[in-house]
Amino acid sequence: MADNGKLRIAMFPWLAFGHMIPWLELSKLIAQRGHQIFFISTPRNIDRLPKLSPELASSIHFVKLPMPHVDNLPENAEATTDISYEQVWYLKQAFDSLQQPMKELLQSVAPDWVFTDFAFWLPDLARQLRIRSGFFSIFTAAVLGYFGPSSVMINGDDDLNTPEDYTRIPKWIRFPTTVAICLFEARKIFHLIKGDGSNVSDLHRFGHAIQNCDVIAVRSCMDFEPEWLNLLAELHPKPVIPVGQLPTTDNDAEEETDSWSEAKPSQEELNEIALGLELSGLPFFWVLKKRLGPADSDLIELPDGFEERTKGRGIVCTFWAPQLKILAHGSVGGFLTHSGWSSVVEALQFGRALIILTFYADQCINAKVLEEKKVGYLIPRNEVDGSFTSNAVAESLKLVLVDEEGKIYRDKAQEMRGLFGDRDRQDWYLNNFLIYLKTNRFDKE
């Protein structure tokens, strides 16, 4: 057992920076309490992570596992940002090829706990080595809860065979809620739910890891979504522990996070957003990502004359910008966002009202939860094809930021500031989590 009750924890997140960044944030909070963290990824990913402060360098050990060669995966592609959407399957193949190197590493490091999300094979491996394992979800409890018990995630359900089936509130949700996926969103993520051919679906990965791990840790808190956390505890016969919302603790490191956002509008969507901003008459600062990464050849462009017509009240930034510092500025009244949870946490810790336009994955459920709690307003769109108009964008912005009718969103966002930005509350959740880990590790003596 580690000396002085200190823990040795291995972290192995999926190869996407939208996963790795919040995992690193949790690692930093744990390391600040004197525990040893072994943060495991591939060499290029480790090299691209935000640099650690000197006081944490002795407690967080970055461990590089060489990336296995997989046919059809470009050279030096080690994260989702390096590849096209169609190539992600090959990245998952490479990720799953790390089982033997991971086994050897765990034997060498001998941690008390190892955490994962996508490595569905890791809990079984950990058990063989007498290491406790955990599933850490960067997704909210609502996202996990919507997709049901691990048996449904792994084997499916007779009632869930088409995208249309996923637009109905699932039968295991027995409390009143309006949270449900729209048809266009269900169609976008259906392959992640079902997989295709030899591809293990993302839902299967989550289900298998949850089924075989010892504890489920969730980036959430009881103060925000108690009904969903209680549902998770009912669905999975093991401890479900919220670790807090992980508000940013380090401006310099966190400034990098939005560089890794993988949400990008189509050219048609971009046109409607731009014309909507123009129609609204409101001042704006727009951080526009024209391509997702080096593998993205589909460059999007602003409508002709847009920047000239909005000059003096709008700024378009097409390179990296410090999202956290921008949101912290007193002149910012609201945040037009895709509702990825890291961005939501950043906005709400400063009490910024949310205007939401989802693009992919968990964002659709996050958005519905925020809407239900009157923390965010969804831009109206066609539920079948997801289309929306510039008028809808303009009217939504004015509603949330200016109109009396939208005051409830502004007030609720300010109310959330005390919840999402509360360091003492975050410390309580983290300490509760660490007490569980200390109490339930294997005795290695």
Side-chain angles (χ1 to χ4, degrees):
M1 186 177 288
D3 294 336
N4 304 319
K6 297 303 182 185
L7 292 160
R8 294 166 64 84
I9 302 173
M11 298 286 203
F12 186 49
W14 166 233
L15 307 178
F17 283 91
H19 288 242
M20 287 183 272
I21 296 293
W23 276 69
L24 184 58
E25 190 66 26
L26 177 60
S27 298
K28 290 192 293 185
L29 291 174
I30 295 171
Q32 284 169 4
R33 285 155 175 77
H35 304 287
Q36 296 293 305
I37 296 288
F38 300 88
F39 197 97
I40 306 162
S41 194
T42 58
R44 282 197 72 219
N45 291 339
I46 294 291
D47 291 343
R48 288 181 288 180
L49 287 169
K51 300 299 179 262
L52 296 175
S53 59
E55 59 268 25
L56 289 178
S58 62
S59 298
I60 297 181
H61 312 279
F62 287 123
V63 183
K64 297 178 177 179
L65 287 184
M67 190 70 169
H69 171 76
V70 169
D71 290 341
N72 301 310
L73 190 64
E75 188 178 357
N76 295 323
E78 297 186 9
T80 53
T81 192
D82 301 325
I83 53 179
S84 67
Y85 185 75
E86 293 73 26
Q87 293 170 319
V88 171
W89 161 227
Y90 304 113
L91 187 68
K92 291 175 182 176
Q93 281 185 309
F95 184 69
D96 292 339
S97 299
L98 291 169
Q99 292 184 51
Q100 185 58 34
M102 177 61 73
K103 181 177 181 179
E104 293 168 7
L105 174 62
L106 293 177
Q107 287 172 321
S108 171
V109 169
D112 298 296
W113 285 87
V114 59
F115 281 85
T116 191
D117 48 6
F118 254 50
F120 64 101
W121 39 266
L122 190 52
D124 294 328
L125 180 61
R127 188 174 294 112
Q128 295 169 22
L129 301 174
R130 280 186 58 77
I131 297 168
R132 295 288 191 196
S133 67
F135 177 89
F136 172 46
S137 173
I138 64 164
F139 305 118
T140 61
V143 171
L144 288 185
Y146 194 88
F147 292 106
S150 52
S151 59
V152 171
M153 291 185 184
I154 296 168
N155 301 314
D157 184 278
D158 290 343
D159 296 332
L160 298 170
N161 295 306
T162 66
E164 286 78 5
D165 294 336
Y166 281 89
T167 64
R168 295 189 291 269
I169 296 172
K171 59 191 174 187
W172 48 80
I173 299 175
R174 297 186 179 91
F175 53 85
T177 184
T178 57
V179 175
I181 302 175
C182 291
L183 181 56
F184 77 91
E185 295 165 327
R187 285 174 173 164
K188 275 187 179 180
I189 64 173
F190 193 62
H191 69 288
L192 301 179
I193 295 169
K194 290 294 186 181
D196 43 26
S198 58
N199 188 354
V200 175
S201 73
D202 288 7
L203 218 54
H204 180 98
R205 288 175 180 277
F206 291 157
H208 198 88
I210 288 170
Q211 186 178 69
N212 294 295
C213 72
D214 296 297
V215 65
I216 302 167
V218 188
R219 183 186 189 180
S220 185
C221 58
M222 286 297 289
D223 317 73
F224 181 71
E225 51 171 358
E227 67 279 25
W228 292 99
L229 283 163
N230 289 334
L231 173 64
L232 281 189
E234 293 171 16
L235 295 175
H236 306 289
K238 62 191 61 186
V240 175
I241 303 178
V243 299
Q245 297 291 1
L246 307 179
T248 306
T249 56
D250 183 342
N251 277 6
D252 292 334
E254 187 63 12
E255 282 178 5
E256 298 291 338
T257 57
D258 201 54
S259 301
W260 306 115
S261 171
E262 294 181 27
K264 189 188 85 169
S266 66
Q267 184 62 59
E268 184 179 352
E269 290 169 335
L270 174 69
N271 292 343
E272 297 301 327
I273 294 169
L275 295 173
L277 281 169
E278 186 176 345
L279 278 171
S280 74
L282 296 168
F284 63 87
F285 187 100
W286 187 1
V287 181
L288 173 62
K289 202 167 187 179
K290 291 190 173 185
R291 57 159 48 104
L292 290 178
D296 183 7
S297 59
D298 185 19
L299 194 66
I300 53 175
E301 297 289 354
L302 288 165
D304 288 344
F306 171 78
E307 289 180 274
E308 290 75 18
R309 294 193 301 273
T310 57
K311 192 173 182 180
R313 70 172 175 90
I315 296 172
V316 180
C317 177
T318 56
F319 48 88
W320 173 81
Q323 177 171 291
L324 193 72
K325 284 186 177 178
I326 294 167
L327 288 169
H329 199 278
S331 65
V332 174
F335 184 33
L336 174 55
T337 177
H338 49 54
S339 76
W341 205 246
S342 289
S343 289
V344 168
V345 171
E346 287 188 0
L348 291 181
Q349 71 185 88
F350 297 112
R352 305 303 176 216
L354 303 174
I355 306 94
I356 301 171
L357 188 67
T358 64
F359 287 99
Y360 195 59
D362 61 311
Q363 297 166 6
C364 54
I365 295 176
N366 294 342
K368 291 299 177 66
V369 171
L370 292 164
E371 180 185 52
E372 185 174 81
K373 296 179 182 294
K374 300 296 183 186
V375 180
Y377 180 82
L378 272 69
I379 292 175
R381 58 203 299 184
N382 184 301
E383 295 202 358
V384 176
D385 64 15
S387 60
F388 57 92
T389 66
S390 55
N391 278 326
V393 174
E395 293 305 315
S396 299
L397 289 168
K398 288 188 287 188
L399 170 72
V400 174
L401 300 178
V402 180
D403 296 349
E404 182 63 26
E405 186 186 345
K407 186 174 183 294
I408 187 170
Y409 299 102
R410 302 191 289 274
D411 290 347
K412 279 288 185 179
Q414 283 298 320
E415 188 181 312
M416 289 294 113
R417 182 175 191 164
L419 173 59
F420 281 71
D422 187 337
R423 305 295 173 185
D424 292 337
R425 195 187 306 260
Q426 176 60 60
D427 287 345
W428 184 89
Y429 278 105
L430 188 72
N431 290 336
N432 184 55
F433 178 52
L434 290 173
I435 288 169
Y436 177 85
L437 298 187
K438 288 179 187 177
T439 307
N440 292 279
R441 57 186 168 181
F442 282 121
D443 187 345
K444 296 201 167 131
E445 293 180 348

